[in-house]
Amino acid sequence: MGIISLIKPLRKYEDYFYRAYTYEQLFLRKKAIEIMNLAIKQPRFSKEETSSGLFYLGMLYSKSKEYKLASDCYNQGLEIMINENFKYSDNLKKVIEAFIKNEDFERAKFWLNNLIQRQSYDKKFKKLAVIEKKLQ
């Protein structure tokens, strides 16, 4: 990683991700956000890569306390994958919590319900049920 990822040409999704991650580690979050905004616009990337890019962008915005932008990125990332099976990640809790912090309760409830139903193919999605109490 390090300096190499800052000079290597951006071709694959991983190149964009590592460049943004390197900028983030150097406390250059705005530069990391710029790179990920470029990544999510690449038509050659798969649904999974674009969705992953939107999630990472959402996390960068959350760390900057820009919850509205984070919420929008997470929503777009989930929309892309709405009809796809994907593995559970602990980051999904952060996604729902970002919706809540943004007072975007409608999206929080919709996606929480959608994700909890995914237990049918991955039991780990059940972990999200603890968040339901926050939305009561």
Side-chain angles (χ1 to χ4, degrees), residues 26-63:
L26 295 170
F27 304 100
L28 299 169
R29 194 174 293 141
K30 284 185 176 152
K31 194 76 177 147
I33 288 170
E34 276 179 44
I35 297 297
M36 289 316 293
N37 269 311
L38 290 174
I40 63 170
K41 293 178 180 125
Q42 298 301 315
R44 66 185 177 273
F45 294 158
S46 70
K47 281 182 181 183
E48 291 83 1
E49 290 169 329
T50 303
S51 179
S52 173
L54 284 159
F55 269 70
Y56 186 42
L57 198 49
M59 285 182 207
L60 291 168
Y61 283 130
S62 284
K63 289 176 183 177

Side-chain angles (χ1 to χ4, degrees), residues 86-88 116 118-126:
F86 55 87
K87 290 183 179 180
Y88 173 81
I116 288 172
R118 293 171 182 270
Q119 291 177 66
S120 62
Y121 67 84
D122 184 343
K123 297 288 179 214
K124 291 180 185 172
F125 281 97
K126 188 173 185 156

Side-chain angles (χ1 to χ4, degrees), residues 25 30 65 90 114:
Q25 297 307 300
K30 284 185 176 152
K65 297 187 180 2
D90 285 332
N114 178 285

